[in-house]
Amino acid sequence: MQVSLSPDTLAKLDASILHMIKVAEDIISVTEEENERLQAGGRIEIADLVVRKQALVKEYENWITTVRTQKHVLLQATPVLFEEMLERNRELSVALAENTRHLEKAKLTSHRRVETIMRVVREESQTQSAYSGNGKYDSRPAEPVSLRPVREA
């Protein structure tokens, strides 16, 4: 379907595409910063980036949903802008896939940390007190089993 758009409508379309290219670049930038923080390890703060990324992605998705129903109009955009938009979309897909891998790795690392802490807490609650079962004082300090030195036979 060939659509003939007025110069004013074409200018608005191009402006819309330019804006979405900028939004895609912003999402890529935020995900790259998030990936850097995740790679640093340790206790990380990414809440600020997550909020920003969510807002940008929502805006991008809303635009895509709108455009999906008007593909014939989008094809009337300036060819250079259209190609640039497609390229940013490809770059965005790659950046988000990499971001997903980093987030999954950080989630697994956090899960392992919590498991380790919980294991130590459980062991600590099961260690003997300074008094033995027969009521005599044991001068050895109570310590979790996982932290005791290994005794060789």
Side-chain angles (χ1 to χ4, degrees):
M1 170 192 267
Q2 182 66 23
V3 176
S4 181
L5 302 176
S6 70
D8 187 45
T9 304
L10 282 173
K12 287 178 183 177
L13 176 61
D14 285 351
S16 175
I17 291 172
L18 277 171
H19 177 71
M20 294 321 299
I21 290 170
K22 175 70 171 114
V23 170
E25 289 170 347
D26 289 347
I27 296 169
I28 292 167
S29 176
V30 168
T31 58
E32 287 173 350
E33 184 176 346
E34 187 175 43
N35 290 343
E36 288 173 15
R37 289 186 194 181
L38 291 169
Q39 285 178 322
R43 188 172 181 279
I44 52 169
E45 293 293 333
I46 59 169
D48 60 322
L49 297 176
V50 171
V51 169
R52 174 105 172 100
K53 184 173 65 172
Q54 286 174 336
L56 289 166
V57 167
K58 184 176 181 177
E59 181 179 355
Y60 196 79
E61 286 176 343
N62 288 341
W63 187 79
I64 294 292
T65 300
T66 301
V67 168
R68 190 174 287 138
T69 62
Q70 302 172 2
K71 291 178 187 175
H72 56 282
V73 174
L74 188 61
L75 294 174
Q76 299 300 310
T78 302
V80 172
L81 281 179
F82 186 78
E83 284 301 316
E84 187 174 348
M85 179 192 63
L86 293 177
E87 180 59 28
R88 285 306 165 281
N89 193 45
R90 285 188 285 272
E91 291 171 3
L92 180 58
S93 294
V94 170
L96 290 175
E98 182 179 348
N99 185 243
T100 299
R101 285 191 300 276
H102 286 290
L103 288 168
E104 288 172 352
K105 183 179 175 185
K107 178 181 168 186
L108 180 61
T109 300
S110 292
H111 181 72
R112 287 180 180 156
R113 284 183 186 135
V114 169
E115 283 181 341
T116 300
I117 291 167
M118 292 305 297
R119 187 181 74 246
V120 169
V121 167
R122 281 191 297 273
E123 288 176 358
E124 224 173 67
S125 68
Q126 295 173 357
T127 59
Q128 296 177 349
S129 68
Y131 292 93
S132 66
N134 63 8
K136 293 186 178 180
Y137 181 72
D138 186 358
S139 62
R140 293 178 302 166
E143 57 189 22
V145 175
S146 64
L147 299 178
R148 290 185 187 152
V150 177
R151 296 182 187 160
E152 296 185 23

